[in-house]
Amino acid sequence: MIDDEALAGMSDGERRALALRLARFDEAGAAPERRRRRFVLVAAVGSLVLVPWIGFLAVTLPHRYVAVHWTLAWVGFDTALLLALAATSFLAWRGRPLMVVPALVAATLLVCDAWFDTTTANRSDRGVSALSALLLELPMAVLLVVAALLVLRRRMR
C-alpha cells in the first residue's frame, strides 16, 4: 500500500505514471460491469418485446394446425433431450462441475416436453401424457435442477 509519505517522495512523472496506471486499472474493472449492464438491458428488452408478441399470437393463431414435419420435430426434440441427458451423466460420472450446463438444458427440455405433450394430446392420449409428465418428466427435471444447484453450492464454498 502506498502511503502519503511514499507519494510525497515520488517525482511528478512517477505520480503521473501511477495515476495513468490506476486509471487503466479502473477501466479494466469497469468493463465487466458494462458488459453485465448491456446483457441486462438486452434481456429486459427481449422480455418486454415478448409481451405484445404473446398477445398477438393468442389472438391470431388458429386453434388447430396440421404440422408438416411433426415426426421430425418430435424426433429432433427427443434427440436434443437425449444428448443433454447423456452429456449430464457423462460429466457427472467424470466429476466435472460443467455438468450443470447440460443438466439445466435437460431439465428445461423435460419441462417443455411435459408441456407440449399434455397440451397437444388428443382425448385418448391425455391420460398417458399427464402421467408421463407427472411421474417421469417433471420429477426428472426437478432432480436435474437440484443436482445442478448442489454442484454450484459445492463450487461456491
Side-chain angles (χ1 to χ4, degrees):
M1 178 99 157
I2 299 175
D3 59 10
D4 289 343
E5 188 177 316
L7 280 172
M10 290 181 175
S11 69
D12 286 341
E14 289 172 327
R15 282 195 297 274
R16 201 173 0 257
L18 177 61
L20 287 172
R21 287 181 63 202
L22 288 172
R24 280 195 307 270
F25 184 77
D26 284 345
E27 286 174 12
E33 179 61 22
R34 275 193 300 265
R35 282 193 301 270
R36 186 186 68 80
R37 285 186 185 155
R38 198 174 307 130
F39 175 79
V40 168
L41 178 65
V42 169
V45 168
S47 298
L48 292 174
V49 168
L50 273 174
V51 172
W53 176 250
I54 291 168
F56 173 77
L57 290 177
V59 172
T60 61
L61 282 177
H63 292 307
R64 292 180 183 267
Y65 182 80
V66 176
V68 178
H69 298 289
W70 185 256
T71 303
L72 177 62
W74 280 110
V75 170
F77 183 89
D78 285 343
T79 301
L81 178 56
L82 165 72
L83 293 172
L85 287 170
T88 301
S89 60
F90 176 77
L91 291 170
W93 174 64
R94 301 284 295 170
R96 302 284 194 267
L98 186 59
M99 64 75 66
V100 168
V101 174
L104 294 176
V105 168
T108 302
L109 290 174
L110 284 163
V111 171
C112 292
D113 197 12
W115 172 261
F116 285 105
D117 278 347
T118 56
T119 59
T120 62
N122 59 31
R123 281 185 200 264
S124 63
D125 294 333
R126 279 194 193 127
V128 172
S129 295
L131 284 174
S132 174
L134 293 172
L135 298 177
L136 297 172
E137 294 154 339
L138 296 177
M140 182 68 164
V142 169
L143 177 70
L144 288 162
V145 169
V146 168
L149 290 174
L150 289 173
V151 168
L152 287 173
R153 181 182 289 166
R154 195 175 326 122
R155 296 299 293 177
M156 300 282 278
R157 288 183 187 162

